[in-house]
Amino acid sequence: MLVAILGTGSVACTIALRLLGAGHEVVLGARNPATATDRDWVRELGGKVEVVSLSAAASAGEVVVNATPGSTTVEMLIDLDAAALTGKVLIDTANAVVFGESGPLLMYPNGSLAERIQQAVPRAKVVKTLNTMNTAVQADPTGMAGPTSAFVSGDDPEARSLVTSLLHDMGWPPDSVIDLGGIASARGPEHYFMLFFGLARALGTRRFNIAVVR
Ligand SMILES: NC(=O)c1ccc[n+]([C@@H]2O[C@H](COP(=O)([O-])OP(=O)(O)OC[C@H]3O[C@@H](n4cnc5c(N)ncnc54)[C@H](OP(=O)(O)O)[C@@H]3O)[C@@H](O)[C@H]2O)c1
């Protein structure tokens, strides 16, 4: 499958590496493709991935991944040609926070970025996932002391299944992916950022993850 990732930062390139390792094709979208190829993260892909404009990537991908700041994602997607995303699964990995003096503030405290994206690009099938763990965990999903969890939220059941399957390809074991249901369920994983931030500060590391135990 050809997966277009919007962004060329740590999340974009970590996901790209996992997908390439599973035999998928990847194209990256950047605001400035010419300079993006100089970024360390992109260099680590070893030239296996083309970097094109955000619009060209979105048009090319069978599935599109948002790996840009959540604070600007909605505007970025609205600026794309709507046809580029029509009928496609749009995976959103972003956290929509701004940092104040006392720490992070949620941009959508009574909703979620994922719902805002679904409203902004209604013909895309938005699925929220992978925003609840650091790239160190995204890069090595089974590298924790025990099994941990990833979540999917989205209104289209087939889109959630496809994303679950892609997560398995990226190394998430069968029982590790929890389907939370419709797009409004993305509020939980998004608001978790407040606890994530506190845990990271308390533990002195971002290499940890949620383990849901029954
Ligand atoms: N880092 C993590 O461990 C982690 C984990 C889970 C979720 N997330 C979320 O994933 C998203 C990406 O995080 P990251 O750590 O990969 O960030 P990053 O390394 O800073 O990369 C951000 C990427 O977004 C691009 N970008 C910035 N503003 C943009 C705009 N207005 N329009 C289009 N592209 C823009 C940047 O491109 P330029 O080079 O042009 O600036 C860069 O390619 C964020 O929403 C973050 O909250 C991060």
Side-chain angles (χ1 to χ4, degrees):
M1 178 171 284
L2 175 54
V3 181
I5 305 178
L6 308 179
T8 55
S10 59
V11 171
C13 294
T14 300
I15 292 174
L17 268 177
R18 300 302 296 184
L19 290 169
L20 289 169
H24 294 288
E25 289 179 86
V26 176
V27 60
L28 295 181
R31 292 187 285 192
N32 189 337
T35 56
T37 49
D38 289 335
R39 292 194 72 171
D40 290 345
W41 283 103
V42 178
R43 283 178 193 274
E44 283 186 29
L45 297 175
K48 292 184 200 140
V49 169
E50 196 182 356
V51 184
V52 299
S53 70
L54 293 163
S55 293
S59 298
E62 294 168 75
V63 169
V64 179
V65 178
N66 171 43
T68 66
S71 53
T72 49
T73 291
V74 172
E75 291 75 13
M76 183 268 295
L77 291 172
I78 287 172
D79 283 347
L80 294 180
D81 177 6
L85 296 169
T86 297
K88 291 183 185 175
V89 174
L90 172 57
I91 299 173
D92 173 40
T93 67
N95 282 306
V97 291
V98 290
F99 284 86
E101 279 182 17
S102 60
L105 300 167
L106 296 172
M107 285 186 66
Y108 307 111
N110 294 310
S112 64
L113 171 64
E115 289 165 277
R116 294 295 180 104
I117 294 174
Q118 188 62 81
Q119 287 163 6
V121 285
R123 294 189 176 165
K125 300 168 190 170
V126 179
V127 177
K128 187 91 198 185
T129 194
L130 290 180
N131 68 301
T132 50
M133 78 290 293
N134 183 252
T135 48
V137 181
Q138 293 174 0
D140 185 15
T142 55
M144 303 284 100
T148 66
S149 304
F151 307 96
V152 292
S153 302
D155 284 339
D156 187 301
E158 286 179 14
R160 297 201 305 272
S161 292
L162 185 144
V163 173
T164 299
S165 164
L166 283 175
L167 289 171
H168 294 328
D169 291 350
M170 284 187 256
W172 290 89
D175 292 338
S176 65
V177 181
I178 299 179
D179 184 335
L180 295 176
I183 197 72
S185 68
R187 294 174 190 181
E190 290 196 18
H191 295 194
Y192 164 72
F193 186 84
M194 305 302 275
L195 178 57
F196 175 90
F197 184 83
L199 286 168
R201 200 163 44 183
L203 300 174
T205 178
R206 294 187 166 212
R207 194 171 179 278
F208 60 86
N209 195 22
I210 299 171
V212 178
V213 183
R214 297 169 209 245

